[in-house]
Amino acid sequence: MEDVVEKIWMTPTALQRLQDELAELTRGGAQSSARARELRGLVEHAEVASKPDDGRVEPGMQVSVRFESTGREATFLLGSRALAGLDPTVEVDVYSADSPLGRALVGNTVGSTVTFTPPAGRQRVTVLAAVPFA
């Protein structure tokens, strides 16, 4: 049975920064360090291609939701905060796909209403938009 390796979405700028850091570690003789192994794993599993504009929520999408209890709307990038932080052009909030909200949203589409439980208590949100992050 083959291991399924999940891709890690990141911007091209984030990937370039990871590759540059890995090259620097390798030049400095630290190619077998824990950080170099971590960077190699990130680079090997990087997904930088644009997501399809199909309204499906997944990492790499800019998502807008409405919190049903307050009517407040929020727009954010679904992805890794650490990786998005490597790209200065990312100027929106970043929510992890592993966060309570992210887990509830992944795989849903525009118009879906989902329930999730953050530390503040159970909430419902409706997906208003999900477009590829540009």
Side-chain angles (χ1 to χ4, degrees):
M1 184 176 194
E2 249 181 74
D3 287 337
V4 176
V5 178
E6 193 169 321
K7 291 293 188 181
I8 303 166
W9 183 87
M10 63 186 76
T11 67
T13 300
L15 176 58
Q16 185 61 56
R17 291 217 172 155
L18 294 174
Q19 291 169 326
D20 292 348
E21 183 181 349
L22 180 58
E24 185 65 30
L25 286 172
T26 301
R27 279 193 299 277
Q31 62 269 17
S32 62
S33 70
R35 179 64 178 159
R37 287 191 303 274
E38 176 187 16
L39 290 171
R40 269 193 296 282
L42 289 168
V43 168
E44 288 171 10
H45 299 109
E47 177 184 24
V48 296
S50 230
K51 296 293 185 171
D53 193 0
D54 60 4
R56 182 179 249 13
V57 179
E58 61 183 314
M61 299 296 279
Q62 186 165 309
V63 182
S64 295
V65 298
R66 179 180 54 245
F67 290 83
E68 294 304 317
S69 62
T70 63
R72 183 178 69 86
E73 295 181 7
T75 298
F76 53 89
L77 169 62
L78 191 63
S80 163
R81 283 186 182 163
L83 293 173
L86 296 173
D87 187 338
T89 67
V90 176
E91 296 178 340
V92 296
D93 288 336
V94 180
Y95 288 30
S96 168
D98 292 329
S99 69
L101 178 57
R103 282 193 306 272
L105 288 173
V106 169
N108 283 281
T109 56
V110 173
S112 299
T113 298
V114 300
T115 302
F116 71 104
T117 307
R122 193 175 182 106
Q123 294 194 32
R124 289 172 44 94
V125 297
T126 298
V127 180
L128 303 175
V131 297
F133 182 78

